[in-house]
Amino acid sequence: MFEQHSREFGVRWMLRRLGICPNAYYNYRKRRKAGYYARKEAAKALIGEIYHKHNGVAEYRTMTVYLARRGCHYSAATVHKLFST
């Protein structure tokens, strides 16, 4: 709602008019990536599970194949990034 009218009125002005604290609005905005972080943690948990199931032998290229077999399709670069963290 705010984004479509922010150029015309300004976010601070709209927040003041609606009686919303700016901190509440910006904290709400920060949670827009909550779904992304949840999917990332789920993928990291699945990678850890597969890694330990295969006695720590799998590398990121092989891990990409194992994840695809389980229905999680990630690029090799993404798996490498998740695998190393």
Side-chain angles (χ1 to χ4, degrees):
M1 176 175 98
F2 290 108
E3 290 80 20
Q4 53 187 307
H5 300 294
S6 65
R7 290 181 189 240
E8 187 176 345
F9 297 108
V11 174
R12 295 286 181 153
W13 182 85
M14 287 190 289
L15 291 173
R16 224 177 302 126
R17 291 286 180 195
L18 294 172
I20 299 172
C21 181
N23 286 343
Y25 172 71
Y26 289 113
N27 286 336
Y28 168 76
R29 292 282 310 262
K30 284 181 188 177
R31 294 216 16 101
R32 65 183 169 210
K33 287 192 170 186
Y36 165 75
Y37 291 127
R39 287 189 304 274
K40 182 178 174 181
E41 287 302 316
K44 285 173 67 174
L46 188 57
I47 286 171
E49 177 187 325
I50 293 170
Y51 181 79
H52 293 296
K53 181 180 176 184
H54 293 278
N55 297 322
V57 177
E59 61 172 0
Y60 75 95
R61 290 183 187 104
T62 311
M63 188 64 67
T64 304
V65 174
Y66 287 143
L67 288 171
R69 287 179 185 167
R70 290 197 178 189
C72 299
H73 300 281
Y74 296 106
S75 69
T78 302
V79 173
H80 185 264
K81 182 173 67 173
L82 293 173
F83 196 71
S84 63
T85 58

Coordinates of all heavy atoms in Angstrom, one line a residue:
M1 N 0.8 -1.2 0.0 CA 0.0 0.0 0.0 C 0.9 1.2 0.0 O 0.6 2.2 -0.8 CB -0.9 0.0 1.2 CG -1.7 1.2 1.4 SD -2.9 1.2 2.7 CE -2.0 2.1 3.9
F2 N 1.9 1.3 0.8 CA 2.7 2.5 1.0 C 3.5 2.7 -0.3 O 3.8 3.8 -0.7 CB 3.6 2.4 2.2 CG 2.9 2.5 3.5 CD1 2.7 1.4 4.3 CD2 2.4 3.7 3.9 CE1 2.1 1.5 5.5 CE2 1.7 3.8 5.1 CZ 1.6 2.7 5.9
E3 N 4.0 1.6 -0.9 CA 4.9 1.7 -2.0 C 4.3 2.4 -3.2 O 4.9 3.2 -3.9 CB 5.4 0.3 -2.5 CG 6.3 -0.3 -1.5 CD 5.6 -1.0 -0.4 OE1 4.4 -1.2 -0.5 OE2 6.3 -1.2 0.7
Q4 N 3.0 2.2 -3.5 CA 2.3 2.8 -4.6 C 2.1 4.3 -4.4 O 1.9 5.0 -5.4 CB 1.0 2.1 -4.9 CG 0.1 1.9 -3.8 CD -1.1 1.0 -4.2 OE1 -1.7 1.3 -5.1 NE2 -1.3 0.0 -3.4
H5 N 2.0 4.8 -3.2 CA 1.7 6.2 -3.0 C 2.9 6.9 -2.3 O 2.8 8.1 -2.0 CB 0.5 6.3 -2.0 CG -0.7 5.7 -2.6 ND1 -1.4 6.3 -3.7 CD2 -1.4 4.7 -2.2 CE1 -2.4 5.5 -4.0 NE2 -2.5 4.5 -3.1
S6 N 4.0 6.3 -2.2 CA 5.2 6.9 -1.4 C 5.8 8.0 -2.2 O 6.3 9.0 -1.6 CB 6.2 5.8 -1.1 OG 6.8 5.3 -2.3
R7 N 5.8 8.0 -3.5 CA 6.4 9.1 -4.3 C 5.5 10.3 -4.2 O 6.0 11.4 -4.2 CB 6.5 8.7 -5.8 CG 7.6 7.6 -5.9 CD 7.8 7.3 -7.4 NE 8.7 6.2 -7.5 CZ 9.8 6.2 -8.2 NH1 10.2 7.3 -8.8 NH2 10.6 5.1 -8.2
E8 N 4.2 10.1 -4.2 CA 3.3 11.3 -4.1 C 3.2 11.9 -2.7 O 3.3 13.1 -2.6 CB 1.9 10.8 -4.5 CG 0.9 11.9 -4.7 CD -0.4 11.4 -5.2 OE1 -0.5 10.2 -5.7 OE2 -1.4 12.2 -5.1
F9 N 3.2 11.1 -1.7 CA 3.0 11.6 -0.4 C 4.2 11.5 0.5 O 4.4 12.3 1.4 CB 1.8 10.9 0.3 CG 0.5 11.2 -0.4 CD1 -0.1 10.1 -1.1 CD2 -0.1 12.4 -0.3 CE1 -1.3 10.3 -1.7 CE2 -1.3 12.6 -0.9 CZ -1.9 11.6 -1.6
G10 N 5.0 10.4 0.4 CA 6.1 10.2 1.3 C 5.7 9.2 2.3 O 4.6 9.3 2.9
V11 N 6.6 8.3 2.6 CA 6.2 7.2 3.6 C 6.0 7.8 5.0 O 5.1 7.4 5.7 CB 7.4 6.1 3.6 CG1 7.1 5.1 4.7 CG2 7.4 5.4 2.3
R12 N 6.9 8.7 5.4 CA 6.8 9.2 6.8 C 5.5 10.0 7.0 O 4.8 9.9 8.0 CB 8.0 10.2 7.1 CG 9.3 9.5 7.1 CD 9.5 8.7 8.4 NE 10.8 8.1 8.4 CZ 11.4 7.8 9.5 NH1 10.9 8.1 10.7 NH2 12.6 7.2 9.5
W13 N 5.1 10.7 5.9 CA 3.8 11.4 6.0 C 2.6 10.5 6.2 O 1.8 10.7 7.0 CB 3.6 12.3 4.8 CG 2.4 13.1 4.8 CD1 2.2 14.4 5.4 CD2 1.1 12.8 4.3 NE1 1.0 14.8 5.2 CE2 0.2 13.9 4.5 CE3 0.6 11.7 3.6 CZ2 -1.1 13.8 4.1 CZ3 -0.7 11.7 3.2 CH2 -1.5 12.8 3.4
M14 N 2.6 9.4 5.4 CA 1.5 8.4 5.5 C 1.5 7.7 6.8 O 0.5 7.5 7.4 CB 1.7 7.4 4.3 CG 1.3 8.0 3.0 SD 1.1 6.7 1.7 CE 2.8 6.3 1.5
L15 N 2.7 7.4 7.3 CA 2.8 6.7 8.6 C 2.2 7.6 9.7 O 1.5 7.2 10.6 CB 4.2 6.3 8.9 CG 4.8 5.2 8.1 CD1 6.3 5.0 8.4 CD2 4.0 3.9 8.2
R16 N 2.6 8.9 9.7 CA 2.1 9.8 10.6 C 0.5 9.9 10.6 O -0.2 10.0 11.6 CB 2.7 11.2 10.4 CG 3.2 11.8 11.7 CD 3.9 13.2 11.5 NE 5.0 13.0 10.6 CZ 5.2 13.8 9.5 NH1 4.4 14.7 9.2 NH2 6.3 13.6 8.8
R17 N 0.0 10.0 9.4 CA -1.4 10.2 9.2 C -2.2 8.9 9.7 O -3.3 9.0 10.2 CB -1.8 10.4 7.7 CG -1.4 11.7 7.2 CD -2.3 12.8 7.7 NE -1.9 14.0 7.2 CZ -2.2 15.2 7.7 NH1 -3.1 15.3 8.7 NH2 -1.8 16.3 7.2
L18 N -1.6 7.8 9.5 CA -2.3 6.5 9.9 C -2.0 6.1 11.3 O -2.5 5.2 11.8 CB -1.9 5.4 8.9 CG -2.3 5.5 7.5 CD1 -1.7 4.5 6.6 CD2 -3.8 5.5 7.4
G19 N -1.1 6.9 12.0 CA -0.8 6.6 13.4 C 0.1 5.4 13.5 O 0.0 4.7 14.6
I20 N 0.9 5.0 12.6 CA 1.8 3.9 12.6 C 3.2 4.4 13.0 O 3.7 5.3 12.3 CB 1.8 3.1 11.3 CG1 0.4 2.6 11.0 CG2 2.8 1.9 11.4 CD1 0.2 2.0 9.6
C21 N 3.8 3.7 13.9 CA 5.2 4.1 14.3 C 6.1 3.6 13.2 O 6.0 2.5 12.6 CB 5.5 3.3 15.6 SG 7.2 3.7 16.2
P22 N 7.0 4.5 12.8 CA 8.0 4.2 11.7 C 8.8 2.9 12.0 O 9.0 2.1 11.1 CB 8.9 5.4 11.6 CG 8.1 6.5 12.1 CD 7.2 5.9 13.2
N23 N 9.1 2.7 13.2 CA 9.9 1.5 13.6 C 9.1 0.2 13.3 O 9.6 -0.8 12.8 CB 10.3 1.5 15.0 CG 11.4 2.4 15.3 OD1 12.1 2.9 14.4 ND2 11.6 2.7 16.6
A24 N 7.8 0.3 13.5 CA 6.9 -0.9 13.3 C 6.9 -1.2 11.8 O 6.9 -2.3 11.3 CB 5.5 -0.7 13.8
Y25 N 6.8 -0.1 11.0 CA 6.7 -0.3 9.5 C 8.0 -0.9 9.0 O 8.0 -1.8 8.2 CB 6.4 1.0 8.8 CG 6.5 1.0 7.3 CD1 5.6 0.3 6.6 CD2 7.6 1.6 6.7 CE1 5.7 0.3 5.2 CE2 7.7 1.6 5.3 CZ 6.7 0.9 4.6 OH 6.9 0.9 3.2
Y26 N 9.1 -0.3 9.4 CA 10.4 -0.8 8.8 C 10.8 -2.2 9.4 O 11.4 -3.0 8.6 CB 11.5 0.2 9.1 CG 11.3 1.5 8.3 CD1 11.0 2.7 8.8 CD2 11.4 1.4 6.9 CE1 10.9 3.8 8.0 CE2 11.3 2.5 6.1 CZ 11.0 3.7 6.7 OH 10.8 4.8 5.9
N27 N 10.4 -2.5 10.6 CA 10.6 -3.9 11.0 C 9.7 -4.9 10.2 O 10.2 -6.0 10.0 CB 10.2 -4.0 12.5 CG 11.3 -3.4 13.4 OD1 12.4 -3.3 13.0 ND2 10.9 -3.0 14.6
Y28 N 8.5 -4.5 9.9 CA 7.7 -5.3 9.0 C 8.3 -5.5 7.7 O 8.3 -6.6 7.1 CB 6.3 -4.6 8.9 CG 5.5 -5.3 7.8 CD1 4.8 -6.5 8.0 CD2 5.3 -4.7 6.6 CE1 4.1 -7.1 7.0 CE2 4.5 -5.3 5.6 CZ 3.9 -6.5 5.8 OH 3.2 -7.1 4.8
R29 N 8.9 -4.4 7.1 CA 9.5 -4.5 5.8 C 10.7 -5.4 5.8 O 11.0 -6.1 4.9 CB 10.0 -3.1 5.4 CG 8.9 -2.1 5.0 CD 8.3 -2.4 3.7 NE 9.3 -2.6 2.6 CZ 9.7 -1.6 1.8 NH1 9.2 -0.4 1.8 NH2 10.6 -1.9 0.8
K30 N 11.5 -5.5 6.9 CA 12.7 -6.3 7.0 C 12.3 -7.8 6.9 O 13.1 -8.6 6.5 CB 13.4 -6.1 8.3 CG 14.2 -4.8 8.4 CD 14.8 -4.7 9.7 CE 15.5 -3.4 9.9 NZ 16.1 -3.2 11.2
R31 N 11.1 -8.2 7.3 CA 10.8 -9.6 7.3 C 10.4 -10.1 5.9 O 9.9 -11.3 5.8 CB 9.6 -9.9 8.3 CG 10.0 -9.6 9.7 CD 9.4 -10.5 10.7 NE 8.8 -11.7 10.3 CZ 9.4 -12.9 10.4 NH1 10.6 -13.1 10.9 NH2 8.7 -14.0 10.1
R32 N 10.5 -9.3 4.9 CA 10.1 -9.8 3.6 C 11.0 -10.9 3.1 O 10.6 -11.6 2.1 CB 10.2 -8.6 2.6 CG 11.5 -8.0 2.4 CD 11.5 -6.8 1.5 NE 12.8 -6.2 1.6 CZ 13.1 -5.0 1.4 NH1 12.1 -4.2 1.2 NH2 14.3 -4.5 1.5
K33 N 12.2 -11.2 3.6 CA 13.0 -12.3 3.2 C 12.9 -13.5 4.2 O 13.7 -14.4 4.1 CB 14.5 -11.8 3.2 CG 14.8 -10.9 2.0 CD 16.2 -10.7 1.8 CE 16.6 -10.1 0.5 NZ 18.0 -10.0 0.3
A34 N 11.9 -13.5 5.0 CA 11.8 -14.6 6.0 C 11.6 -15.9 5.3 O 12.2 -16.9 5.7 CB 10.7 -14.3 6.9
G35 N 10.8 -15.9 4.2 CA 10.6 -17.2 3.4 C 11.9 -17.7 2.8 O 12.2 -18.9 2.8
Y36 N 12.7 -16.7 2.3 CA 14.0 -17.1 1.7 C 14.9 -17.7 2.7 O 15.5 -18.7 2.4 CB 14.6 -15.8 1.1 CG 16.1 -16.0 0.7 CD1 16.5 -16.7 -0.4 CD2 17.1 -15.4 1.5 CE1 17.8 -16.9 -0.7 CE2 18.4 -15.6 1.2 CZ 18.8 -16.3 0.1 OH 20.1 -16.5 -0.2
Y37 N 15.0 -17.1 3.9 CA 15.9 -17.7 4.9 C 15.4 -19.0 5.4 O 16.2 -19.9 5.7 CB 16.0 -16.7 6.1 CG 16.8 -15.5 5.7 CD1 16.3 -14.2 5.9 CD2 18.0 -15.6 5.1 CE1 17.0 -13.1 5.6 CE2 18.7 -14.4 4.8 CZ 18.2 -13.2 5.0 OH 18.9 -12.1 4.7
A38 N 14.1 -19.2 5.4 CA 13.5 -20.5 5.9 C 13.9 -21.6 4.9 O 14.3 -22.7 5.2 CB 12.0 -20.4 6.1
R39 N 13.7 -21.3 3.6 CA 14.1 -22.3 2.5 C 15.6 -22.6 2.5 O 16.0 -23.7 2.3 CB 13.7 -21.8 1.1 CG 12.2 -21.8 0.9 CD 11.8 -21.5 -0.5 NE 12.3 -20.2 -1.0 CZ 11.7 -19.0 -0.8 NH1 10.6 -19.0 -0.2 NH2 12.3 -17.9 -1.3
K40 N 16.4 -21.6 2.8 CA 17.8 -21.7 2.8 C 18.2 -22.6 4.0 O 19.0 -23.6 3.8 CB 18.5 -20.4 3.0 CG 20.0 -20.4 3.0 CD 20.5 -19.0 3.1 CE 22.0 -19.0 3.3 NZ 22.6 -17.6 3.4
E41 N 17.6 -22.5 5.1 CA 17.9 -23.3 6.3 C 17.5 -24.7 6.1 O 18.1 -25.7 6.4 CB 17.3 -22.7 7.6 CG 18.0 -21.5 8.1 CD 19.5 -21.7 8.4 OE1 19.8 -22.8 9.0 OE2 20.3 -20.9 8.0
A42 N 16.3 -24.9 5.4 CA 15.8 -26.2 5.1 C 16.8 -27.0 4.1 O 17.0 -28.1 4.3 CB 14.4 -26.2 4.5
A43 N 17.3 -26.2 3.1 CA 18.2 -26.8 2.2 C 19.5 -27.2 2.9 O 20.1 -28.2 2.6 CB 18.5 -25.8 1.0
K44 N 20.0 -26.3 3.8 CA 21.2 -26.6 4.5 C 21.1 -27.8 5.4 O 22.0 -28.7 5.5 CB 21.7 -25.4 5.3 CG 22.2 -24.3 4.5 CD 22.5 -23.0 5.3 CE 23.6 -23.2 6.3 NZ 23.9 -21.9 7.0
A45 N 19.9 -28.0 6.0 CA 19.6 -29.2 6.8 C 19.6 -30.4 6.0 O 20.2 -31.5 6.4 CB 18.3 -29.0 7.6
L46 N 19.0 -30.3 4.8 CA 19.0 -31.5 3.9 C 20.4 -31.8 3.4 O 20.7 -33.0 3.3 CB 18.0 -31.2 2.7 CG 17.7 -32.3 1.8 CD1 17.1 -33.5 2.5 CD2 16.8 -31.9 0.7
I47 N 21.2 -30.8 3.1 CA 22.5 -31.1 2.7 C 23.3 -31.8 3.8 O 24.1 -32.7 3.5 CB 23.2 -29.8 2.2 CG1 22.7 -29.3 0.9 CG2 24.7 -29.9 2.2 CD1 23.1 -27.9 0.5
G48 N 23.1 -31.3 5.0 CA 23.8 -31.9 6.2 C 23.4 -33.4 6.3 O 24.2 -34.3 6.6
E49 N 22.1 -33.6 6.2 CA 21.6 -35.0 6.3 C 22.2 -35.9 5.3 O 22.7 -37.0 5.6 CB 20.1 -35.0 6.2 CG 19.4 -36.3 6.2 CD 17.9 -36.2 5.9 OE1 17.3 -35.2 6.3 OE2 17.4 -37.2 5.3
I50 N 22.2 -35.5 4.0 CA 22.8 -36.3 2.9 C 24.3 -36.5 3.1 O 24.8 -37.5 2.9 CB 22.5 -35.6 1.6 CG1 21.0 -35.7 1.3 CG2 23.3 -36.3 0.5 CD1 20.6 -34.8 0.1
Y51 N 25.0 -35.4 3.6 CA 26.4 -35.5 3.8 C 26.8 -36.5 4.8 O 27.7 -37.3 4.6 CB 26.9 -34.1 4.2 CG 28.4 -34.0 4.5 CD1 29.3 -33.8 3.4 CD2 28.9 -34.0 5.8 CE1 30.6 -33.7 3.6 CE2 30.2 -33.9 6.0 CZ 31.1 -33.8 4.9 OH 32.5 -33.7 5.1
H52 N 26.0 -36.5 5.9 CA 26.3 -37.5 7.0 C 25.9 -38.9 6.6 O 26.5 -39.9 7.1 CB 25.7 -37.0 8.3 CG 26.4 -35.8 8.9 ND1 27.7 -35.7 9.2 CD2 25.9 -34.5 9.0 CE1 28.0 -34.5 9.7 NE2 26.9 -33.8 9.5
K53 N 24.8 -39.0 5.8 CA 24.4 -40.3 5.4 C 25.4 -41.0 4.5 O 25.6 -42.2 4.6 CB 23.1 -40.2 4.6 CG 22.5 -41.5 4.1 CD 21.2 -41.2 3.3 CE 20.7 -42.5 2.8 NZ 19.5 -42.3 2.0
H54 N 26.2 -40.2 3.8 CA 27.2 -40.8 2.9 C 28.6 -40.6 3.5 O 29.6 -40.6 2.8 CB 27.2 -40.1 1.5 CG 25.9 -40.4 0.8 ND1 25.8 -41.6 0.1 CD2 24.7 -39.7 0.6 CE1 24.6 -41.6 -0.5 NE2 23.9 -40.5 -0.1
N55 N 28.7 -40.6 4.8 CA 29.9 -40.5 5.6 C 30.8 -39.4 5.2 O 32.1 -39.5 5.2 CB 30.7 -41.8 5.5 CG 29.9 -43.0 6.1 OD1 29.2 -42.8 7.1 ND2 29.9 -44.1 5.4
G56 N 30.3 -38.2 4.8 CA 31.0 -37.0 4.6 C 31.8 -37.1 3.3 O 32.8 -36.3 3.1
V57 N 31.5 -38.0 2.3 CA 32.2 -38.1 1.1 C 31.8 -37.2 0.0 O 32.5 -36.8 -0.9 CB 32.2 -39.6 0.6 CG1 32.9 -39.8 -0.7 CG2 32.7 -40.5 1.7
A58 N 30.5 -36.9 0.0 CA 29.9 -36.1 -1.1 C 30.5 -34.7 -1.3 O 30.7 -34.0 -0.3 CB 28.4 -36.0 -0.9
E59 N 30.8 -34.3 -2.5 CA 31.2 -33.0 -2.8 C 30.0 -32.2 -3.3 O 28.9 -32.8 -3.4 CB 32.3 -33.0 -3.8 CG 31.9 -33.6 -5.1 CD 32.9 -33.4 -6.2 OE1 34.0 -32.8 -6.0 OE2 32.7 -33.9 -7.3
Y60 N 30.2 -30.9 -3.6 CA 29.0 -30.1 -4.0 C 28.4 -30.6 -5.3 O 27.2 -30.5 -5.5 CB 29.3 -28.6 -4.0 CG 30.1 -28.1 -5.2 CD1 29.5 -27.6 -6.3 CD2 31.5 -28.2 -5.1 CE1 30.2 -27.1 -7.3 CE2 32.2 -27.7 -6.2 CZ 31.6 -27.2 -7.3 OH 32.3 -26.7 -8.3
R61 N 29.2 -31.1 -6.3 CA 28.6 -31.5 -7.5 C 27.7 -32.8 -7.3 O 26.6 -32.9 -7.9 CB 29.7 -31.8 -8.5 CG 30.4 -30.6 -9.0 CD 31.4 -30.9 -10.1 NE 32.2 -29.7 -10.4 CZ 33.5 -29.5 -10.0 NH1 34.1 -30.4 -9.2 NH2 34.1 -28.4 -10.4
T62 N 28.2 -33.7 -6.5 CA 27.5 -34.9 -6.2 C 26.3 -34.5 -5.4 O 25.2 -35.1 -5.6 CB 28.4 -35.9 -5.5 OG1 29.6 -36.0 -6.2 CG2 27.7 -37.2 -5.3
M63 N 26.4 -33.6 -4.5 CA 25.3 -33.2 -3.6 C 24.2 -32.6 -4.5 O 23.0 -32.8 -4.2 CB 25.8 -32.1 -2.6 CG 24.8 -31.8 -1.6 SD 24.4 -33.1 -0.5 CE 25.9 -33.4 0.4
T64 N 24.5 -31.9 -5.6 CA 23.5 -31.4 -6.5 C 22.7 -32.5 -7.0 O 21.4 -32.4 -7.1 CB 24.2 -30.6 -7.6 OG1 25.0 -29.6 -7.0 CG2 23.2 -29.9 -8.5
V65 N 23.3 -33.6 -7.4 CA 22.6 -34.7 -7.9 C 21.7 -35.4 -6.9 O 20.5 -35.7 -7.1 CB 23.6 -35.8 -8.5 CG1 22.8 -37.0 -9.0 CG2 24.3 -35.2 -9.7
Y66 N 22.2 -35.5 -5.6 CA 21.5 -36.1 -4.6 C 20.2 -35.3 -4.2 O 19.2 -35.8 -4.0 CB 22.3 -36.3 -3.3 CG 23.3 -37.4 -3.4 CD1 24.6 -37.2 -2.8 CD2 23.1 -38.6 -4.0 CE1 25.5 -38.2 -2.8 CE2 24.0 -39.6 -4.0 CZ 25.2 -39.4 -3.4 OH 26.2 -40.4 -3.5
L67 N 20.4 -33.9 -4.2 CA 19.3 -33.0 -4.0 C 18.2 -33.1 -5.1 O 17.0 -33.1 -4.8 CB 19.8 -31.6 -3.8 CG 20.6 -31.3 -2.5 CD1 21.2 -29.9 -2.6 CD2 19.7 -31.4 -1.3
A68 N 18.7 -33.2 -6.3 CA 17.8 -33.3 -7.4 C 16.9 -34.6 -7.3 O 15.8 -34.7 -7.7 CB 18.5 -33.3 -8.8
R69 N 17.6 -35.7 -6.9 CA 16.9 -37.0 -6.7 C 15.8 -36.9 -5.6 O 14.8 -37.6 -5.7 CB 17.8 -38.1 -6.3 CG 18.7 -38.5 -7.4 CD 19.6 -39.6 -7.0 NE 20.6 -39.9 -8.1 CZ 21.7 -40.7 -7.9 NH1 22.0 -41.1 -6.7 NH2 22.4 -40.9 -8.9
R70 N 16.0 -36.0 -4.7 CA 15.0 -35.8 -3.6 C 14.0 -34.7 -4.0 O 13.1 -34.3 -3.2 CB 15.7 -35.4 -2.3 CG 16.4 -36.5 -1.7 CD 16.7 -36.3 -0.3 NE 17.4 -37.4 0.3 CZ 17.6 -37.5 1.6 NH1 17.2 -36.5 2.4 NH2 18.2 -38.5 2.1
G71 N 14.1 -34.1 -5.2 CA 13.1 -33.1 -5.7 C 13.5 -31.7 -5.4 O 12.7 -30.8 -5.6
C72 N 14.7 -31.4 -4.9 CA 15.2 -30.1 -4.6 C 16.2 -29.7 -5.7 O 17.3 -30.2 -5.8 CB 15.9 -30.0 -3.3 SG 14.8 -30.3 -1.9
H73 N 15.8 -28.8 -6.6 CA 16.6 -28.5 -7.8 C 17.3 -27.1 -7.5 O 16.6 -26.1 -7.6 CB 15.8 -28.4 -9.0 CG 15.1 -29.8 -9.3 ND1 15.8 -30.8 -9.9 CD2 13.9 -30.2 -9.1 CE1 15.0 -31.8 -10.1 NE2 13.8 -31.5 -9.6
Y74 N 18.6 -27.2 -7.2 CA 19.4 -26.0 -7.0 C 20.6 -26.1 -8.0 O 21.0 -27.2 -8.4 CB 20.0 -26.0 -5.6 CG 18.9 -25.8 -4.5 CD1 18.6 -26.9 -3.7 CD2 18.3 -24.6 -4.3 CE1 17.7 -26.8 -2.7 CE2 17.4 -24.5 -3.3 CZ 17.0 -25.6 -2.5 OH 16.1 -25.5 -1.5
S75 N 21.1 -24.9 -8.4 CA 22.2 -24.9 -9.3 C 23.5 -25.4 -8.5 O 23.5 -25.3 -7.2 CB 22.5 -23.5 -9.8 OG 22.9 -22.6 -8.8
A76 N 24.5 -25.8 -9.2 CA 25.7 -26.2 -8.5 C 26.4 -25.1 -7.7 O 26.9 -25.3 -6.6 CB 26.7 -26.8 -9.6
A77 N 26.2 -23.9 -8.2 CA 26.8 -22.7 -7.5 C 26.1 -22.5 -6.2 O 26.7 -22.2 -5.1 CB 26.7 -21.5 -8.4
T78 N 24.8 -22.6 -6.2 CA 24.0 -22.5 -5.0 C 24.3 -23.5 -4.0 O 24.5 -23.3 -2.8 CB 22.5 -22.5 -5.3 OG1 22.2 -21.4 -6.2 CG2 21.6 -22.3 -4.0
V79 N 24.4 -24.8 -4.4 CA 24.8 -25.9 -3.5 C 26.2 -25.7 -3.0 O 26.4 -25.9 -1.8 CB 24.6 -27.2 -4.3 CG1 25.2 -28.4 -3.4 CG2 23.2 -27.5 -4.7
H80 N 27.1 -25.2 -3.8 CA 28.4 -25.0 -3.3 C 28.4 -23.9 -2.2 O 29.1 -24.0 -1.2 CB 29.3 -24.5 -4.5 CG 30.8 -24.4 -4.1 ND1 31.3 -23.1 -3.8 CD2 31.8 -25.3 -4.0 CE1 32.6 -23.3 -3.5 NE2 32.9 -24.6 -3.6
K81 N 27.7 -22.9 -2.4 CA 27.6 -21.8 -1.4 C 26.9 -22.3 -0.1 O 27.5 -22.0 1.0 CB 26.7 -20.6 -2.0 CG 26.6 -19.5 -1.1 CD 25.9 -18.3 -1.7 CE 24.5 -18.6 -2.0 NZ 23.7 -17.5 -2.5
L82 N 25.9 -23.1 -0.2 CA 25.2 -23.6 1.0 C 26.1 -24.7 1.6 O 26.1 -24.9 2.8 CB 23.9 -24.2 0.6 CG 22.8 -23.2 0.2 CD1 21.6 -24.0 -0.3 CD2 22.5 -22.3 1.3
F83 N 26.8 -25.5 0.8 CA 27.6 -26.6 1.3 C 28.8 -26.0 2.1 O 29.2 -26.7 3.1 CB 28.1 -27.4 0.1 CG 28.7 -28.7 0.4 CD1 27.8 -29.7 0.8 CD2 30.0 -29.0 0.3 CE1 28.3 -31.0 1.0 CE2 30.5 -30.3 0.6 CZ 29.6 -31.2 0.9
S84 N 29.3 -24.9 1.7 CA 30.5 -24.4 2.4 C 30.2 -23.6 3.7 O 31.1 -23.2 4.4 CB 31.4 -23.6 1.5 OG 30.6 -22.5 1.0
T85 N 28.9 -23.3 3.9 CA 28.6 -22.5 5.1 C 28.1 -23.3 6.2 O 27.8 -24.4 6.1 CB 27.4 -21.4 4.8 OG1 26.3 -22.1 4.3 CG2 27.9 -20.4 3.8

